[in-house]
Amino acid sequence: MALITLSDAHLAYGDLPLLDEAALSIEPGERVGLIGRNGTGKSSLLSVLAGRQLLDDGQIQRQDGLIVHYVEQEPILPEAPTFRESLIARGNIESITDEKEKWRLYAKLDENLSRFELNPDGDPKLASGGEKKRAALALAFTLAPQLMLLDEPTNHLDMRAISLLENICRDELKNQRSLVVITHDRTFLDNVATRIVELDRGTLRSYPGNFSAYEARKEEELAAEALERRRFDKFWAQEEVWIRKGIEARRTRNEGRVRRLEALRRERAARREQMGSIRLAIDAGEKSGKIVAEVTGLSKSFGDHVVVKNLDFTLMRGDRLGLIGPNGAGKSTLIKLILGKLKPDSGKVKLGTNLQIAYFDQLREQLDLNKTVAETIAPGSDWVEIGGERKHVIAYLGDFLFPPRRANVRVSSLSGGERNRLLLARLFALPANLLVLDEPTNDLDIDSLELLEQTLASYPGTIILVSHDRRFLDNVVTEVLAPEGNGKWREYVGGYAEWFAQRPAEALPVKKAPAPKDEEKKAKPKPQVQQKIKLSWRESRELEALPEKLEALEKEQSDLIARMSEGSYHTKPVEEIKADKSRLDALEVEISAGYARWEELSAKADEAARA
C-alpha cells in the first residue's frame, strides 16, 4: 500500500499552474528523485506532501499514522545554547513519554551530529548555512521517519559530506522507509534514486531507475513530443489557410470543420511550451600568453593552520583546472593567492601576459541588491557588447531566461537561482581569457548546468573552477589540484573520477606498541622468517572465474535497467516492481563487492609473482 498518494492535484501561483491534474504515489522503500526547472513548484510539492500546504483542488491520501519529516532548503533551527538542545526542540523529542526511547534518540542524535562533523555543544547562532543543513539532516536521520522529504540537501555541503549523505540514504534507509529528494546533483541521483519524478509544466512524470536511465528515456520522449507538435502545427496551419478563403469556406457550410478549427486554436493557446534553455556565449577576449600562471614554492598559513606549503605548478593557456577539497581546505584562499589578491608568506606567483580575468566570486561581492537586473548587466546603457557584437540588454537577459518584465526588478527580490543566472550573465558580458569560477553551479537547475558545461567545453580560454558537483567537474576540467593534508597539494590529470581513483587513502591512526616488560627486554630476539605470499588453489580458481561472473552481473543489471525504463513498465504488478528494485540494489552491491575482491586477489597474485 502506498504511503502517500496525490490524485488530480491542482496548485497555482499567478496565471500558470504548478500542479495541473498531477498524480503521484510513494511506495514503501522508494527513493524518489524529484527534478525540474527552478520555479516549477518542486518545493511547493514537497510542502504539500509534508502537510504544510494545501492543494487548490484534488486529493491527497496518507497511510494511517504516517510519520513524515521535512528538511527545508534553508532549515531554521530553534534558538538554544547548543546544537543538541536546538534539534531536540525542532524534533519535539522532549515530548516523548517513553524514557528509554527518548534517551535512545538523545544518543543517536549525538552520534549523527558527530558523523556530520558537528559538535553537539556548538552554538547554532554562529553556524553557517552548511552547518545548519548538516544539523537538520542529523536530526532527520535520528528520527528515521517512514517518509523523509529533503529539499536540496547537498547545497552548501562538500564532497565528503555529500558522500556520507549518499551512503546513509542508500544503505541505511530500510525497506519500509521512503525518501523524496529535490537535488540538481546528478551523481547523487545516480547513486541514490530508485525512481525519478519530473515536474514539467504542471505535470508529474515518473521514470523507473536512476538519473542515467531517466536521461536515456527523456531524450526519446522529447524527440517524439517535438514530432507530434510539428504535425499538429502543420495541420493547424492548413486549417487556418482554409478558413481564410472566406467565401469558399462559407459556401461549403462545413460548420463541423469550423468548430474543429476553433478547438485547435484553443488547444494551441493553452499548450504550454517546453521551457526555454539558457543560451550562453562567452567573450574570450584576446588570446593570453602561453603561460597563464607560474607558481613556485607558494606557502600560506593562518596561525597554526597551514593552507598551502611549498606548492609548485604551472597553469598553461587552455588548461581547465579544478580545485577539489572539503570546506575549509583553502580552495578560495589558493585562488586569491594565484590571482595576487592575497600575499603569500613565501614563494611567488608569476602571472602571464595579456590576461583578462573574470572572477565569479568577485562578482558576487559586487552584486548591488538595490540595483535592477538591467542596471547590473549594463550600467547606464541599454546595450551589451559580446565578442564585438552589440545586443540589447533585454534580449541578452532573455538568453538567461529573464523575461522582459523582470528586467526592471531589483536584485534583492530575485530567487537564489535567478541571482546565479544574473551573475553568469554579468560574468559572460565581460571579455575574459581566464575564467575563475568559485562554486558557479549553486542553485542552477539541471538543464542550466548542462548548458553551462557545454559552453565552458567550447570556451577557448583558461579556466580555474571550484565545485563540489562531481559530474560537472568530470565534464569540464582536464586536471585537478587537491589537498592532501599539512598544506600539501597534489596535481592529478583528468577530472573528479580520476582523482577519486588515484587519491591517497586517508591516514589511519597508528597504535603505539606497549612498552616491553623487563623479561622481554632481556630475551634474545627470534629471527624473523618472511612468509611467502601465494594464492591458494581455491583463490586461483576464484580469480579466474571473476571476470566472467562480473560480466554476467553487469549484463543482468543493464537488461534490468532497460526493462524498468520501458514505457509500460509502471503497469506491471506492484510485487514485480518491488522485486526488480530489490534485485537492482542487490546487483549494485554484488558488482561492487566483486570488483573489490578482484582487485584484492589480483594484487595478491602480483605480489606472489614478485616474491
Side-chain angles (χ1 to χ4, degrees):
M1 178 182 175
L3 297 178
I4 194 165
T5 301
L6 282 180
S7 54
D8 196 24
H10 291 260
L11 184 67
Y13 285 125
D15 56 345
L16 289 179
L18 301 177
L19 298 177
D20 188 4
E21 299 182 0
L24 176 68
S25 64
I26 308 297
E27 300 290 336
E30 280 199 304
R31 300 191 296 272
V32 176
L34 178 59
I35 65 172
R37 284 289 182 82
N38 289 336
T40 54
K42 301 186 299 297
S43 294
S44 297
L45 175 56
L46 236 57
S47 188
V48 167
L49 295 177
R52 298 188 180 185
Q53 186 169 351
L54 298 177
L55 292 170
D56 294 336
D57 198 6
Q59 289 186 331
I60 180 168
Q61 294 178 315
R62 293 180 175 86
Q63 195 179 87
D64 289 342
L66 178 67
I67 300 173
V68 181
H69 189 83
Y70 179 28
V71 178
E72 312 91 327
Q73 191 167 344
E74 300 291 342
I76 298 174
L77 303 186
E79 288 190 13
T82 67
F83 273 125
R84 182 191 291 108
E85 293 170 88
S86 177
L87 294 174
I88 286 172
R90 177 181 164 96
N92 206 18
I93 297 175
E94 199 63 46
S95 64
I96 296 174
T97 55
D98 186 335
E99 288 296 317
K100 186 176 180 181
E101 175 64 9
K102 185 189 296 185
W103 285 102
R104 185 190 72 80
L105 290 175
Y106 287 161
K108 188 68 176 176
L109 179 60
D110 280 355
E111 178 189 335
N112 281 328
L113 283 169
S114 178
R115 292 174 77 185
F116 280 100
E117 300 182 344
L118 290 170
N119 179 4
D121 296 319
D123 187 348
K125 291 193 294 293
L126 304 176
S128 65
E131 288 171 329
K132 289 179 181 178
K133 178 62 70 72
R134 283 184 280 149
L137 290 170
L139 174 65
F141 290 112
T142 296
L143 298 175
Q146 292 163 281
L147 176 59
M148 192 180 299
L149 308 173
L150 306 181
D151 193 348
E152 293 288 1
T154 62
N155 275 7
H156 308 298
L157 299 188
D158 58 29
M159 289 178 182
R160 184 162 54 191
I162 292 172
S163 294
L164 171 64
L165 180 61
E166 276 181 1
N167 293 336
I168 295 174
C169 289
R170 184 182 59 236
D171 302 333
E172 296 186 20
L173 291 179
K174 304 304 180 185
N175 289 336
Q176 296 306 307
R177 303 192 186 280
S178 299
L179 168 72
V180 180
V181 55
I182 297 173
T183 182
H184 303 309
D185 188 322
R186 295 158 293 177
T187 304
F188 185 93
L189 289 170
D190 262 345
N191 292 339
V192 170
T194 58
R195 176 160 65 112
I196 299 295
V197 171
E198 180 187 39
L199 179 54
D200 179 25
R201 292 162 283 173
T203 301
L204 290 168
R205 296 184 177 89
S206 183
Y207 301 83
N210 61 9
F211 185 76
S212 293
Y214 155 81
E215 282 184 302
R217 178 68 191 284
K218 187 64 179 179
E219 190 174 348
E220 296 173 1
E221 277 190 5
L222 288 176
E225 182 178 340
L227 178 61
E228 182 59 33
R229 288 195 169 188
R230 285 197 298 271
R231 288 172 177 166
F232 175 93
D233 289 345
K234 183 178 179 181
F235 178 61
W236 169 52
Q238 288 171 347
E239 295 300 287
E240 290 287 2
V241 170
W242 171 79
I243 198 68
R244 280 167 175 74
K245 290 181 179 179
I247 295 174
E248 181 184 339
R250 287 195 294 273
R251 189 186 302 125
T252 62
R253 300 180 181 229
N254 193 340
E255 295 180 4
R257 190 171 181 182
V258 173
R259 287 196 298 272
R260 183 176 64 186
L261 176 57
E262 290 173 350
L264 284 172
R265 286 172 174 172
R266 287 194 298 271
E267 183 179 345
R268 181 64 181 80
R271 188 171 81 189
R272 298 179 65 186
E273 301 288 350
Q274 183 186 357
M275 296 177 70
S277 296
I278 299 177
R279 292 181 290 278
L280 302 182
I282 307 176
D283 185 353
E286 299 178 14
K287 187 180 288 188
S288 70
K290 189 174 181 181
I291 295 178
V292 172
E294 194 170 7
V295 177
T296 308
L298 188 67
S299 297
K300 182 68 179 178
S301 300
F302 295 98
D304 295 333
H305 177 55
V306 182
V307 176
V308 58
K309 186 176 181 181
N310 296 328
L311 175 63
D312 298 304
F313 86 96
T314 302
L315 187 67
M316 306 296 290
R317 184 178 65 221
D319 283 351
R320 299 159 186 274
L321 176 68
L323 300 184
I324 289 179
N327 290 336
K331 301 183 293 296
S332 296
T333 300
L334 185 54
I335 285 177
K336 291 175 181 176
L337 288 167
I338 293 171
L339 298 182
K341 297 181 178 297
L342 192 62
K343 188 177 179 181
D345 295 338
S346 61
K348 63 179 182 178
V349 177
K350 183 180 179 182
L351 292 177
T353 59
N354 199 31
L355 282 182
Q356 295 172 292
I357 303 171
Y359 184 19
F360 189 75
D361 187 65
Q362 184 184 50
L363 294 177
R364 281 183 188 153
E365 294 173 358
Q366 294 175 356
L367 201 59
D368 188 340
L369 300 182
N370 293 317
K371 285 187 175 181
T372 66
V373 171
E375 288 171 341
T376 301
I377 298 300
S381 174
D382 291 334
W383 300 90
V384 179
E385 190 165 322
I386 307 292
E389 294 184 8
R390 294 182 81 217
K391 194 167 191 175
H392 196 276
V393 66
I394 299 297
Y396 181 69
L397 285 169
D399 291 343
F400 290 81
L401 301 185
F402 287 101
R405 67 178 184 276
R406 299 291 281 172
N408 293 316
V409 167
R410 293 195 182 277
V411 174
S412 58
S413 67
L414 299 182
S415 68
E418 286 176 320
R419 290 189 192 186
N420 226 31
R421 293 205 308 271
L422 180 62
L423 287 167
L424 289 171
R426 180 177 166 87
L427 178 81
F428 294 160
L430 303 172
N433 50 34
L434 173 58
L435 284 180
V436 183
L437 306 173
D438 195 347
E439 290 289 356
T441 61
N442 286 345
D443 299 314
L444 290 185
D445 57 45
I446 290 173
D447 287 350
S448 301
L449 276 174
E450 291 177 343
L451 196 66
L452 179 57
E453 286 174 354
Q454 295 167 14
T455 305
L456 293 177
S458 60
Y459 172 64
T462 307
I463 297 172
I464 300 177
L465 170 67
V466 175
S467 178
H468 297 303
D469 188 316
R470 294 156 290 180
R471 184 159 166 180
F472 189 82
L473 284 164
D474 274 338
N475 291 343
V476 172
V477 306
T478 56
E479 55 192 300
V480 161
L481 200 59
E484 298 188 345
N486 299 321
K488 181 183 177 184
W489 291 71
R490 181 179 166 190
E491 195 172 1
Y492 296 81
V493 175
Y496 169 83
E498 285 75 18
W499 166 79
F500 188 81
Q502 301 173 49
R503 76 197 193 288
E506 292 186 3
L508 297 174
V510 180
K511 292 184 179 179
K512 292 184 178 179
K517 298 178 181 178
D518 291 341
E519 293 80 4
E520 292 173 338
K521 288 180 182 177
K522 295 174 185 176
K524 211 177 208 181
K526 295 181 180 179
Q528 297 292 317
V529 179
Q530 187 174 358
Q531 296 287 331
K532 187 174 181 181
I533 299 172
K534 65 176 184 177
L535 289 177
S536 67
W537 177 83
R538 182 171 295 177
E539 287 175 329
S540 297
R541 295 294 299 273
E542 184 183 0
L543 180 59
E544 290 174 7
L546 269 172
E548 187 176 343
K549 179 182 177 182
L550 285 168
E551 186 177 349
L553 288 172
E554 288 178 336
K555 185 179 185 307
E556 183 184 354
Q557 183 187 48
S558 177
D559 292 345
L560 185 54
I561 289 173
R563 184 158 61 86
M564 292 174 73
S565 300
E566 292 173 357
S568 59
Y569 181 77
H570 68 280
T571 62
K572 295 185 180 295
V574 174
E575 293 76 14
E576 184 177 343
I577 292 175
K578 286 184 177 179
D580 285 345
K581 288 179 181 175
S582 297
R583 181 55 185 156
L584 194 61
D585 290 341
L587 281 169
E588 185 178 345
V589 173
E590 286 182 49
I591 291 170
S592 297
Y595 274 109
R597 181 61 173 163
W598 190 11
E599 290 178 5
E600 178 188 348
L601 293 176
S602 297
K604 194 172 180 180
D606 291 343
E607 195 169 345
R610 291 193 298 267

